[in-house]
Amino acid sequence: MNKDLYVSSPLLPELDDFIPYLRTIWQSKRLTNAGPFHQAFEQALADYLGVEHLSLFNNGTTALMASLQALAIDGEVITTPYTFAATAHALVWNRLTPVFVDIDPQTFNLDPAAIEAAITPRTRAILPVHCYGVPCDVDAIGEIARRYGLRVIYDAAHAFAVRDGQGSVLRHGDMSILSLHATKVFNTFEGGAIISPTLETKRLVDQLRNFGFVDETTVVTCGINGKMNEISAAVGLLQLTQIDAALHKRATLDALYRKRLACVPGITLCREAANHGYFPILIEDAYPLSRDQLYDAFRQQQIFTRRYFYPLVTDMAAYRQHQQAGVAALPVANHVAQRVICLPLHPDLSLNDVERVLAVICTASSAALRSRATPFSVSDLKRLQP
Ligand SMILES: *Cc1c(COP(=O)(O)O)cnc(C)c1O
C-alpha cells in the first residue's frame, strides 16, 4: 500500500530539541506579549531574510489587515484574482474596494499594463502577490505607483527567502507581508510578519499589533491583537537551524520534476521560484486528460494535489458582489485557473515519491500516444497503473 502524498507537509523541528524551549516557557510563565523568544526570533528572522525592520504577527492575514491600517488606505485597491482568498479578504475587512485585474501569463503575477488601465481617481494602492514565490515586476509596479501616487503592499506570503540581484524581494514597495503558516515553506505553526521600510513605520506596525498600546495606560491607535506567542516564536528559532537544508531538498525535487516533465506533450512548466515552495504545472488541451481528470487520477493513487488557485477569487460566492460592471475580463487568470495543478513538493518527499507522481502523469501521456484513435479516459489510466 502506497503512503499518502500531500502537496505540502510542514517542516517540523525534532521534538527532543523543542522540549527544552517548552520547559523555559513553563518556568518563566511568559507566554506572549513580546517575550524573550519573540524578541530573539524577530531579530533572527530579520537577519536571516536580510531585512532591517520586521514585525512578527500571529498570522499572515492579520499582518495584511494591519498593513492596510498602518498606511491608512481608503478607496480602491488594485489586486489579483489569482491568489488565496485572504489577499482580498484583508481589503474587504478594511472596507476597501478590491479591483481585480489580470495576470501575466509567464509569472501569474499582476500585469502592470492591466494595473495602469484600472486606475481611477479613487485608487489608493496596489496589492500584488509574488505568486508561488516568483517576484512581481517590481520595477514596473514601482514606476506606476510613483506616477499615480499610489501605495504598494506586497503579499509576499509565498516569497520566504526569495532574493533578487540586490537583496531580499521583501524590501520592495511600502510594505511586504509574510505568512508563516503550516503549509508555507517556513512555518511557526501559525505566523506572519510585516517588513517595513523604516524604523518609524515598524514602530507604528508594532503598536497596531498590540491594540495600539505604547505603555501601560496609553493607547495611541485602534490596534488589533496580532501578536505571535512564545511557543510559535520558539518553533521559529529552531526552524531557522534547518531551513537551508529544507530549501536545498526542495531544489533537488524541483529539478527532478522539471527535467522529467520538460518534454511531456500538453504539460506546461511554470517559472522556477528561488524557494521552490510550489510546483505548479498547466494541463493544456494537448494532454490526454483534463486537469480535473488528472486530479482524480492522482487521488486514486493516494496523491493529493491542489488546484492553487482555483477558483479565482472573483468566482467565489463572497466576491460576486465586488465584481463591478465594466471591470475588464480576466482571460489569462481564467485560463491558468482552469488548467493549473500543484504537484507535491516538500522536504519529506523522497525521489521515489516524485517518481510516483511522475508515473501518473507520464502513464496517461504515453498511453494516449499509443492509442491516438480513441479518446483516453480515467478508467484507462487505472487499468494501466500497476
Ligand atoms: C497563506 C496565504 C495568506 C494568508 O496567510 P495566513 O498566515 O494563513 O493567514 C495570504 N496570502 C497568500 C497569497 C497566501 O498564500
Side-chain angles (χ1 to χ4, degrees):
M1 184 65 185
N2 277 328
K3 70 173 178 182
D4 292 351
L5 297 184
Y6 295 98
V7 74
S8 72
S9 172
L11 187 65
L12 277 173
E14 287 298 326
L15 186 57
D16 287 343
D17 294 341
F18 190 51
I19 301 296
Y21 287 70
L22 286 178
R23 195 161 285 126
T24 306
I25 292 169
W26 256 246
Q27 282 161 357
S28 71
K29 292 189 185 279
R30 295 199 62 181
L31 311 187
T32 185
N33 287 5
F37 283 117
H38 182 284
Q39 287 174 37
F41 177 50
E42 194 166 78
Q43 187 58 54
L45 183 61
D47 292 346
Y48 178 82
L49 295 171
V51 298
E52 253 181 297
H53 309 294
L54 181 145
S55 305
L56 293 174
F57 269 76
N58 52 1
N59 62 61
T61 306
T62 325
L64 268 173
M65 296 198 305
S67 70
L68 295 160
Q69 287 284 325
L71 296 172
I73 308 293
D74 61 2
E76 294 175 0
V77 178
I78 295 172
T79 192
T80 171
Y82 191 75
T83 182
F84 185 60
T87 311
H89 288 357
L91 296 172
V92 177
W93 275 64
N94 275 288
R95 298 254 184 270
L96 301 170
T97 305
V99 174
F100 298 100
V101 307
D102 212 357
I103 56 173
D104 176 274
Q106 301 302 320
T107 63
F108 306 160
N109 291 325
L110 278 180
D111 173 359
I115 294 175
E116 188 160 9
I119 293 172
T120 75
R122 280 176 42 78
T123 308
R124 294 290 179 276
I126 309 168
L127 177 55
V129 178
H130 299 299
C131 192
Y132 307 128
V134 173
C136 293
D137 188 344
V138 291
D139 293 336
I141 291 172
E143 169 57 25
I144 291 169
R146 260 188 304 280
R147 228 165 337 112
Y148 291 89
L150 307 177
R151 299 291 207 161
V152 182
I153 298 171
Y154 282 103
D155 180 340
H158 302 175
F160 186 91
V162 175
R163 302 173 73 83
D164 57 24
Q166 276 73 255
S168 171
V169 79
L170 304 170
R171 75 185 185 284
H172 296 292
D174 294 285
M175 273 181 194
S176 288
I177 277 72
L178 277 178
S179 167
L180 310 179
H181 183 261
T183 52
K184 304 299 205 271
V185 165
F186 181 102
N187 83 83
T188 56
F189 284 40
E190 292 264 9
I194 294 183
I195 290 82
S196 299
T198 63
L199 183 58
E200 194 190 358
T201 312
K202 173 178 159 52
R203 289 219 173 95
L204 172 61
V205 168
D206 289 351
Q207 289 164 8
L208 282 166
R209 176 177 68 182
N210 187 30
F211 311 100
F213 278 102
V214 289
D215 62 39
E216 210 178 299
T217 53
T218 317
V219 175
V220 292
T221 178
C222 295
I224 195 165
N225 183 355
K227 290 172 274 125
M228 177 178 281
N229 68 68
E230 287 290 277
I231 290 191
S232 285
V235 169
L237 276 174
L238 276 175
Q239 300 283 44
L240 283 176
T241 65
Q242 57 170 354
I243 183 62
D244 284 341
L247 290 171
H248 186 261
K249 177 77 182 287
R250 283 177 174 279
T252 306
L253 300 172
D254 183 305
L256 177 58
Y257 272 133
R258 216 161 271 283
K259 185 167 133 223
R260 299 283 304 281
L261 291 173
C263 306
V264 179
I267 300 284
T268 301
L269 297 181
C270 305
R271 202 166 278 188
E272 187 172 347
N275 62 6
H276 309 284
Y278 301 85
F279 200 90
I281 56 174
L282 301 187
I283 312 303
E284 310 284 4
D285 296 344
Y287 190 76
L289 302 184
S290 72
R291 187 273 308 272
D292 291 339
Q293 286 173 328
L294 180 62
Y295 174 82
D296 290 337
F298 275 130
R299 287 185 77 91
Q300 282 158 10
Q301 304 294 324
Q302 285 82 53
I303 298 170
F304 301 99
T305 62
R306 294 296 299 267
R307 288 163 290 187
Y308 297 139
F309 288 101
Y310 165 84
L312 295 179
V313 172
T314 40
D315 288 330
M316 294 175 177
Y319 282 88
R320 300 247 164 84
Q321 75 206 57
H322 288 276
Q323 198 55 303
Q324 323 86 312
V327 162
L330 304 164
V332 181
N334 272 295
H335 179 98
V336 177
Q338 293 300 325
R339 287 163 181 78
V340 73
I341 194 163
C342 285
L343 303 180
L345 181 57
H346 55 77
D348 291 343
L349 286 180
S350 66
L351 294 179
N352 273 339
D353 294 333
V354 170
E355 293 293 352
R356 247 180 82 199
V357 177
L358 289 165
V360 175
I361 299 173
C362 298
T363 306
S365 176
S366 49
L369 286 177
R370 276 199 301 277
S371 58
R372 265 282 159 78
T374 51
F376 192 83
S377 74
V378 175
S379 57
D380 293 331
L381 177 62
K382 255 198 293 194
R383 202 160 27 73
L384 287 159
Q385 288 285 325

